[in-house]
Amino acid sequence: GYTRSSSTARIAGDGAYIVYESESDELGLGLADGVYHIYRMEVATGTKVLVTPVDQASTVDSKYASSSADGTKICYYSNAPNTHTNQCDGCDTEYQWWLATANAANTGFGTPKTISWSSADGRKATSNGRCQVSNDGSAIVFSTDSDLSAPSVPAASATPAGDYQVWVTRDDGATATLMSGGINDPSNTAAFNLGSDCYDPTLNSDGSFAAFRCKKKLHPSGYQPGTTADDEGWLYDRAANKLSMFAEMNMDDESACAGSTASKADLLTKLAA
């Protein structure tokens, strides 16, 4: 067998499954093609299942998987040719987010499909950070610099212009809704402040709350972080349809999210507020 890497494991919500990426031949289950595939292992039995297609091209890598609690929905990152209906014609193939869904017996996976795409402005819109599937499989969150709200809008009017933002799909990728727009309306694409990049969303069991990190996002107070700004923590509340900041920078642009000067108790208090 090949002595290559396996990495970036994640455990499903109830602990029944682990999903991970591997470029090894996985003791006969995997493929000796030297590229990364996604696998799912059942913890109780040790049974492993290949999630990504067996005929994945030698130029394609698939990474950074996340699973629903029952192991039936798995999102991941891949540069396979984009098959989404909104993918613009002639756009270069870039890394996008994909969804694989298990068969009725939960013993294998069908053909995966893209849940993000490059907009018709022709940019090489790509993904960043991590995706996550909610425990119940009803929501998937991810980050991309493509304007998913308007795939046919030309570059001159697309919002935002190349900034990474956080999105959620609740229909397995048919559509996507912005989560990191306006503070009082996170789905409002007109409320971006340019230069604000948001990444690495995580969500609760049913997707009603999500947290992520942003750089240079306008504060509720009106303070605008500068060009040296570090990450800040933001919380999305679906029921209230608003964003709140739970880990802000100090006025000297020192992050209270990464390299924190705030205590754990202080951050927990802000999350509970």
Side-chain angles (χ1 to χ4, degrees):
Y2 282 74
T3 54
R4 293 194 172 113
S5 298
S6 298
S7 58
T8 322
R10 275 184 168 182
I11 193 163
D14 63 0
Y17 295 96
I18 296 171
V19 289
Y20 62 98
E21 67 205 43
S22 179
E23 60 173 346
S24 76
D25 66 0
E26 282 294 300
L27 299 177
L29 173 67
L31 306 173
D33 54 11
V35 298
Y36 282 99
H37 294 264
I38 303 298
Y39 298 89
R40 186 195 72 186
M41 187 187 83
E42 187 176 17
V43 173
T45 65
T47 301
K48 297 176 182 178
V49 174
L50 179 65
V51 175
T52 44
V54 67
D55 59 351
Q56 179 173 284
S58 61
T59 56
V60 170
D61 278 316
S62 298
K63 299 181 176 181
Y64 312 143
S66 171
S67 176
S68 57
D70 62 5
T72 62
K73 290 186 178 182
I74 296 174
C75 69
Y76 63 92
Y77 180 77
S78 181
N79 64 332
N82 196 311
T83 57
H84 199 283
T85 55
N86 289 338
Q87 173 75 358
C88 50
D89 293 337
C91 290
D92 290 344
T93 298
E94 295 292 313
Y95 281 94
Q96 300 289 352
W97 295 114
W98 292 71
L99 173 65
T101 302
N103 58 28
N106 201 13
T107 57
F109 288 81
T111 302
K113 61 181 182 179
T114 41
I115 60 176
S116 68
W117 56 90
S118 289
S119 300
D121 58 18
R123 286 186 299 107
K124 297 178 181 179
T126 190
S127 303
N128 201 297
R130 297 288 186 271
C131 66
Q132 186 174 344
V133 185
S134 62
N135 284 351
D136 66 1
S138 67
I140 306 171
V141 291
F142 55 90
S143 176
T144 180
D145 65 348
S146 180
D147 185 9
L148 303 186
S149 64
S152 62
V153 173
S157 59
T159 303
D163 294 335
Y164 284 93
Q165 300 296 336
V166 174
W167 302 79
V168 59
T169 179
R170 301 182 189 278
D171 52 15
D172 293 346
T175 60
T177 301
L178 181 68
M179 301 176 72
S180 56
I183 292 173
N184 294 314
D185 183 1
S187 64
N188 184 358
T189 57
F192 286 113
N193 56 291
L194 292 179
S196 172
D197 287 305
C198 299
Y199 311 100
D200 291 331
T202 184
L203 75 175
N204 68 335
S205 60
D206 64 358
S208 56
F209 290 93
F212 46 87
R213 61 183 177 97
C214 294
K215 295 180 183 293
K216 297 185 287 186
K217 191 168 184 62
L218 185 67
H219 288 200
S221 66
Y223 170 63
Q224 177 64 61
T227 57
T228 60
D230 286 323
D231 298 311
E232 299 177 296
W234 290 83
L235 180 70
Y236 165 80
D237 182 335
R238 184 185 184 193
N241 192 37
K242 66 178 297 183
L243 294 175
S244 58
M245 187 170 51
F246 64 85
E248 73 273 21
M249 291 183 300
N250 301 317
M251 294 301 285
D252 62 1
D253 280 358
E254 182 179 358
S255 174
C257 183
S260 177
T261 58
S263 68
K264 179 180 179 180
D266 184 40
L267 294 176
L268 290 173
T269 297
K270 291 173 181 176
L271 279 171

